[in-house]
Structures are given as structure tokens and as C-alpha cells.
């Protein structure tokens, strides 16, 4: 069976999507009246529970199913676990019932994994840089704290010219 899935936030989008899904021959259409970027989508969950082996989930556009690649891949995995397939009318290459669609989806999954690993690596690098700065700040504070207040302000004044940092900012808790 073919099951259409619609995710609309505005009523005027509803009729165009519904007509496309009906014209494609969907036996039943599940309508979500919330933004597709939300994690909790009761109608999508109900549709996936309803699926049987050999069924096809049809969407007019992938953005109706998900707004992020990571979430899209998770939804497709849930559909596949039921033995069902996904077909996008706009992105005709997304058809998990065809060999070409499966290959393209594999590429998409690999790109998604690469993006995720790259983001994780970048986040680690940012945390490491912040930790180095924090360590240097402590070293600077330790050295400066041994000086008199007038000497501290003089050094901070020079630092301020070089790196635009104020006395209060350097000595904040």
C-alpha cells in the first residue's frame, strides 16, 4: 500500500500536498499539523507503526518529512526496519524501492556521517582552544597578581592596546 505523509504549518499548503499525494495513488494520507523540524511528530510515528512489509511512504518533498539530514536518515531507517520504502515526489531520486535510490541514499548517509564527525571534531577543537586560553589566563593572572595594583593596571593597559581586554575582564571570576 502507498501511504502519504503531509507535514503542514499553514492550511493553504495542505490542499496542494494532498492533491499531489492523491494523484500519486496514496491509499491513506497522514496529516501532521506541526513543523517538520520538531522531533515529536505523532502522525509520523503512527504512520510508521502502521507500516507493513512492502508498503511505501510517499512525501511530496523531503522537507515535509524532515529539516535535517540526520533526522531524515533516522526516519528512513525506521521506515526500512518495517520493510517499507520511501518515495519523494519532488526528489525523484529518493526511492528506496529502486537500486539507484538505495545507492544514492547510501551516499547521502555517508555524507551525513562525515558531517557529524566533522562537527564533533570541530567542537573538540573549540573546547581544546578554550581550555588553552583558560590555562593561559590563569598563568597570566598568577603572574600579574604578584605585582602592585598600579603595575597591574599598567600591564593591563598595554594588553588592552594589543588585544582589547580590560582590567575587569581579565580579573573577572
Amino acid at each position: 500500500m502507498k501511504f502519504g505523509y503531509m507535514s503542514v504549518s499553514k492550511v493553504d499548503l495542505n490542499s496542494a500536498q494532498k492533491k499531489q499525494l492523491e494523484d500519486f495513488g496514496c491509499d491513506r494520507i497522514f496529516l501532521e499539523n506541526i513543523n517538520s523540524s520538531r522531533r515529536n511528530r505523532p502522525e509520523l510515528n503512527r504512520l510508521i507503526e502502521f507500516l507493513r512489509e512492502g508498503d511505501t511512504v510517499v512525501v511530496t518533498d523531503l522537507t515535509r518529512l524532515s529539516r535535517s539530514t540526520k533526522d531524515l536518515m533516522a526516519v528512513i531507517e525506521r521506515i526500512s526496519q518495517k520493510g517499507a520504502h520511501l518515495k519523494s515526489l519532488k526528489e525523484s531520486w529518493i526511492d528506496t524501492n529502486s537500486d539507484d535510490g538505495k545507492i544514492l541514499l547510501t551516499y547521502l548517509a555517508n555524507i551525513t556521517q562525515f558531517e557529524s564527525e566533522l562537527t564533533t571534531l570541530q567542537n573538540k577543537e573549540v573546547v581544546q582552544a578554550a581550555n588553552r586560553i583558560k590555562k593561559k589566563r590563569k598563568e597570566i593572572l598568577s603572574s600579574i597578581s604578584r605585582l602592585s595594583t598600579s603595575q597591574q593596571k599598567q600591564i593591563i593597559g598595554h594588553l588592552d592596546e594589543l588585544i582589547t581586554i580590560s582590567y575587569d575582564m581579565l580579573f573577572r571570576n
Side-chain angles (χ1 to χ4, degrees):
M1 291 185 77
K2 293 179 190 172
F3 297 101
Y5 176 74
M6 298 171 39
S7 174
V8 295
S9 54
K10 295 181 180 175
V11 177
D12 59 329
L13 296 174
N14 187 341
S15 59
Q17 281 188 67
K18 187 172 183 180
K19 179 161 178 24
Q20 286 180 303
L21 293 171
E22 287 171 345
D23 289 350
F24 192 73
C26 291
D27 301 300
R28 182 172 173 184
I29 297 172
F30 290 78
L31 170 64
E32 199 85 74
N33 281 315
I34 58 174
N35 189 312
S36 60
S37 64
R38 291 193 45 195
R39 288 289 226 195
N40 183 21
R41 292 171 281 171
E43 286 300 307
L44 178 60
N45 292 334
R46 198 162 65 159
L47 165 61
I48 291 173
E49 286 177 25
F50 201 77
L51 291 173
R52 301 293 176 255
E53 191 164 335
D55 288 343
T56 301
V57 175
V58 182
V59 292
T60 57
D61 183 336
L62 288 179
T63 62
R64 301 290 99 206
L65 189 59
S66 175
R67 297 293 171 117
S68 76
T69 309
K70 183 178 180 180
D71 183 53
L72 175 64
M73 297 310 295
V75 170
I76 291 172
E77 178 62 26
R78 289 175 61 203
I79 292 169
S80 295
Q81 286 175 349
K82 290 291 212 161
H85 308 284
L86 174 67
K87 169 75 178 155
S88 171
L89 300 180
K90 182 179 177 187
E91 297 87 5
S92 57
W93 57 270
I94 293 283
D95 183 352
T96 60
N97 200 25
S98 74
D99 290 337
D100 291 345
K102 288 176 187 173
I103 289 170
L104 290 170
L105 196 55
T106 301
Y107 289 138
L108 183 61
N110 287 331
I111 291 169
T112 302
Q113 182 177 349
F114 175 72
E115 282 178 334
S116 176
E117 290 171 0
L118 190 59
T119 300
T120 301
L121 178 63
Q122 288 170 338
N123 288 344
K124 285 180 183 177
E125 288 173 355
V126 167
V127 168
Q128 288 172 349
N131 287 338
R132 285 192 304 270
I133 290 169
K134 198 182 280 187
K135 183 179 177 184
K136 286 292 182 189
R137 182 178 173 265
K138 287 179 182 178
E139 290 172 12
I140 291 169
L141 287 176
S142 176
S143 298
I144 293 176
S145 66
R146 294 186 203 113
L147 303 173
S148 68
T149 304
S150 64
Q151 288 174 319
Q152 289 176 4
K153 288 186 179 183
Q154 186 180 13
I155 289 172
I156 299 304
H158 291 301
L159 284 175
D160 184 36
E161 291 172 16
L162 295 172
I163 58 173
T164 318
I165 188 168
S166 69
Y167 181 85
D168 292 333
M169 178 67 126
L170 185 61
F171 284 97
R172 70 180 168 86
N173 290 329

